[in-house]
Amino acid sequence: MTQVAQLLLAALVAGLAAVERKGLLQAQLSRPIVVAPLVGWALGDPLAGLYVGAPLELIWIGAANLGAALPPHETAATAAITAAAVAAGGWLTDFPGATAAMAFVVFGPVAVIGRRLEGVGERANENLVAHAAVALGESLPRRAFRLHLLGLWRPFVTSFALVLVAGGVVGPLLRLAQNRLPDWSLAGFEIGWMLLWAVGGAAAVRAARLPRGLGLAAAGAAGAIALWAAASWFGWVGVIG
């Protein structure tokens, strides 16, 4: 399969996941822990997708998509982060965490932006429902069905286009930056990725309402940084990362 075909397949996966997230089925197939490996698989590296999706699932594990709730758009953000990270090709270097961290810096805000856009889409869908009701009242079921599909196409097209940009444009730019940045800068991104795991752990324990959860997450972050420092000292960064 060509790279273009892989990218189109990844965009298709992201678009379908965005539709499943709120407009259809809602079987949790849009969760980061599912979407990221699928996008990675479409791009030829499902393990890299799992590497990216695991901490993102922890970060957004409390994002409940119920009824009229508008949580952060974890699906679109995860798909874009995964596509950019895998397309950057960082998994063949000594700094895979750095690659994922850079992709998160670029596309992490998509979760917040996507929530606002989703609110706009919800209001637009209310108008579609009204028009569909009129169409049904006039015995025009096909028109009502087309209006229903229009409401589903908005999230599909948005996530589809986002992954095309992430994998086709941002990923190669991250690869270029990765090859030109000094090692100390990449090491900083590597630490940032470990801290992201710690933040995800804190978010997860907070969502589970575990006592002393934040303290445990802080201890885990300190341990992760200590492990990374020891690995760097003994030359094990490529193995640990």
Side-chain angles (χ1 to χ4, degrees), residues 23-46:
L24 181 68
L25 195 58
Q26 289 187 309
Q28 303 302 310
L29 300 178
S30 59
R31 297 299 307 173
I33 196 64
V34 179
V35 172
L38 287 177
V39 171
W41 163 79
L43 294 173
D45 199 339

Side-chain angles (χ1 to χ4, degrees), residues 61-79:
I61 198 169
N65 196 5
L66 302 172
L70 288 176
H73 206 308
E74 74 285 353
T75 304
T78 297

Side-chain angles (χ1 to χ4, degrees), residues 168-237:
V169 179
V170 178
L173 290 177
L174 289 181
R175 185 191 310 129
L176 181 63
Q178 182 178 264
N179 292 333
R180 296 193 176 185
L181 287 173
D183 287 349
W184 63 265
S185 177
L186 293 174
F189 279 109
E190 187 81 18
I191 293 175
W193 184 247
M194 293 182 180
L195 290 176
L196 192 68
W197 271 94
V199 171
V205 296
R206 183 176 182 273
R209 301 185 182 278
L210 294 178
R212 299 184 296 277
L214 292 178
L216 292 173
I225 293 175
L227 177 62
W228 181 87
S232 299
W233 179 265
F234 291 105
W236 299 338
V237 174

Side-chain angles (χ1 to χ4, degrees), residues 4-26:
V4 173
Q6 287 180 322
L7 184 57
L8 289 173
L9 179 59
L12 177 63
V13 168
L16 292 175
V19 173
E20 192 276 339
R21 176 177 178 268
K22 201 171 183 72
L24 181 68
L25 195 58
Q26 289 187 309

Side-chain angles (χ1 to χ4, degrees), residues 142-168:
R142 290 186 178 180
R143 185 170 187 274
F145 181 68
R146 287 195 297 270
L147 291 169
H148 172 69
L149 289 181
L150 181 59
L152 296 179
W153 275 101
R154 285 193 179 95
F156 177 88
V157 171
T158 301
S159 293
F160 186 94
L162 182 65
V163 167
L164 287 182
V165 172

